[in-house]
Amino acid sequence: MKETTVFPNDPKWEGEGTSRVPFWAYTREDLYKKELDKFFYSGHWCYVGLEAEIPNSGDFKRTVVGERSVIMVRDPDGGINVVENVCAHRGMRFCRERNGNAKDFFCPYHQWNYSVKGDLQGVPFRRGVKQDGKINGGMPKEFKLEDHGLTKLKVATRGGVVFASFDHEIESLEEFLGPTILGYYDRVFDGRKLKLLGYRRQRIPGNWKLMQENIKDPYHPGLLHTWFSTFGLWRADNKSELKMDAQFRHAAMISTRGQGGQNAEVVAGVDSFKDKMTVNDPRLLDIVPEDWWGGPTAVMTTIFPSVILQQQVNSVSTRHIQPNGHGSFDFVWTHFGFADDTPEMEERRLIQANLFGPAGFVSADDGEVIEWSQEGFEQKPAHRTVLEMGGYDIENTDHMVTETLIRGMYNYWRKVMGE
C-alpha cells in the first residue's frame, strides 16, 4: 500500500503500511523520549552483557539500558544482579568505574552503602550525633533501610548472555524471542562457556533505529562494502534466508558464503567490487568451518531494541545499541570466543574481528552512511524513505533483495508507539 508525503504541520504517519517511513521518525525529540519508555524501559528485555565479563563474586560491569546507567554484578551466591546506578538518597550516579570488583557499593556524596544485590546496608549518622550530652539529627524513627534500596531490574540469563528489564511483569526471555529467533540464538549460545576477547566502542551520530535497520537490510552489504562484494563474504547471490519472530520485531539474516566475483551479473556496475583487490594478510580470510555453524557461514540476529548478535565466519560478537539522544547512539562491540577454542582458533577470531568495529574494513562504512542519513533526515523532516524493495509485504524470504525485515520492524514500531 503506497503512502503519501508527511508534512510538518500534520505529523501523522499516513496510511497503514510501512513501506514509506517519514523522516520525522528519526528527528522528533518527543518520539525519541516515547521510544525510550516503550521499548527500553517497559515491555522488552534489553541486553546488558556476558556472564564471562563478571566471572567472580563482586565482579561488576557498568552499562546502560536505554539511557539509564545500570550495573551488572555477580553476588557471593553466584547469582547475577542488575541494579540502577542511581543512589536512592539524592539520585547520584555513584558508580564511575566501567568495571571492577566490589564487596559493596557506596555513594561518595553521603556514603549511603548498598550490597551487591542492591539492598541499602548503611546510612551515616542514621541515629544522629551525640553532642553536649544529647543526640542531634539523624533519620526519623520510621526510616527503614529495606525501603530505600537501589532499583532492581528483572534478570534473565541464557547461554552465558545476560538480559535485564525494568518491567518485572515482562514475559520470559524465551517467549520474548519466540521459537524461530531462539533457535538462532541457541545456535551460538549453546551452553559452551564463553571467553571474553575484547571491546570496541564508537559513537555514531544517527538515530538508534538506523543500526537496527542496517542489520535488517540484507542487500546493502554487497553494494556498500568492498570486502563483502569482492571476496563473497556477503552478497546478493549467496544462498540466504531472512526470518522474523511472530511480531516482526526480531530478525535473523542467514547467508552461506559464495565465490566472490563468479556471478558477473551481480557485481556488474557495483563500485565496491574490486576484481584486482588482493589480501596482504590472508589470515583475514582464513576461514575454518565450525560444527556449530550447521551450514551458514554468517548469521546476523537483531534482537529488538538493544542488541545484534554477530556471527560472520569465525568472528563472533555482540553489538550493544546504547541511545544517547534522538540523533546519536553509542555502539559497543563485545568480541568473544569459547573456552574450548584452540589457540589457533582464538587468534583467527581476533584477526577476523578486524573486519568489524569502528575502524573495521567492513563496519566503518556503516557508521558513515548512518551519519549521512541522519543529516538528510534533519535537513528535510517532511520527506520519507522508500522501503519497497521486494514489494510491500512483510514475510520471511529465501533471498536478500528485499527490505521486508525493515518493513516488519516498523509494523511493530507503529503498533507499540501508536503512530
Side-chain angles (χ1 to χ4, degrees), residues 104-317:
D104 52 16
F105 296 117
F106 78 94
C107 177
Y109 198 175
H110 299 92
Q111 299 195 13
W112 280 34
N113 176 264
Y114 303 92
S115 73
V116 293
K117 294 185 178 182
D119 299 320
L120 181 61
Q121 299 180 135
V123 173
F125 311 128
R126 179 186 173 196
R127 303 301 185 191
V129 177
K130 188 173 183 179
Q131 189 177 28
D132 297 329
K134 63 178 182 178
I135 302 296
N136 295 320
M139 301 298 283
K141 291 182 179 180
E142 60 270 21
F143 178 85
K144 297 179 180 179
L145 294 177
E146 57 266 29
D147 293 340
H148 299 277
L150 301 175
T151 297
K152 301 176 182 180
L153 283 71
K154 189 171 184 178
V155 175
T157 62
R158 187 177 179 93
V161 186
V162 184
F163 290 81
S165 179
F166 284 95
D167 184 353
H168 284 259
E169 302 303 316
I170 192 173
E171 63 195 328
S172 71
L173 178 64
E174 291 73 18
E175 291 174 308
F176 176 73
L177 295 177
T180 298
I181 302 304
L182 185 62
Y184 287 101
Y185 178 99
D186 287 344
R187 173 179 172 271
V188 179
F189 303 109
D190 59 3
R192 289 174 296 167
K193 186 176 180 181
L194 305 181
K195 182 177 181 179
L196 180 67
L197 298 183
Y199 301 98
R200 288 190 170 103
R201 295 176 172 86
Q202 67 186 122
R203 175 160 292 184
I204 300 178
N207 185 271
W208 68 273
K209 297 190 295 299
L210 291 171
M211 186 50 75
Q212 281 277 342
E213 288 185 31
N214 181 267
I215 310 300
K216 294 177 188 285
D217 175 355
Y219 79 99
H220 89 270
L223 300 172
L224 175 66
H225 303 309
T226 293
W227 275 80
F228 278 175
S229 62
T230 302
F231 298 109
L233 295 175
W234 188 286
R235 292 191 345 178
D237 56 339
N238 285 359
K239 181 181 177 182
S240 60
E241 292 180 281
L242 306 179
K243 296 186 178 181
M244 291 172 276
D245 73 307
Q247 298 193 55
F248 311 137
R249 53 187 172 184
H250 316 309
M253 299 197 306
I254 306 107
S255 176
T256 302
R257 183 187 183 189
Q259 297 299 314
Q262 296 302 304
N263 189 336
E265 183 179 328
V266 170
V267 298
V270 175
D271 288 344
S272 60
F273 180 71
K274 312 293 183 186
D275 61 342
K276 299 290 193 271
M277 184 175 180
T278 58
V279 182
N280 288 330
D281 187 346
R283 296 178 300 173
L284 284 162
L285 297 175
D286 176 25
I287 299 163
V288 174
E290 301 184 58
D291 291 339
W292 60 270
W293 286 6
T297 56
V299 177
M300 301 292 290
T301 305
T302 46
I303 298 177
F304 191 86
S306 64
V307 70
I308 296 145
L309 309 179
Q310 170 197 297
Q311 180 251 318
Q312 280 278 7
V313 292
N314 298 116
S315 174
V316 281
S317 65

Side-chain angles (χ1 to χ4, degrees), residues 25 31-47 65-66 164-167 170 176 207-209 247 249-250 303-306 323 409-419:
L31 281 185
Y32 170 67
K33 295 297 185 184
K34 188 176 179 181
E35 286 174 337
L36 289 175
D37 182 59
K38 294 285 189 179
F39 298 131
F40 291 91
Y41 305 149
S42 63
H44 295 72
W45 285 105
C46 289
Y47 169 85
V65 171
S165 179
F166 284 95
D167 184 353
I170 192 173
F176 176 73
N207 185 271
W208 68 273
K209 297 190 295 299
Q247 298 193 55
R249 53 187 172 184
H250 316 309
I303 298 177
F304 191 86
S306 64
M409 184 183 81
Y410 280 105
N411 178 280
Y412 177 73
W413 185 93
R414 294 192 69 181
K415 286 179 181 177
V416 175
M417 294 286 286
E419 295 293 333

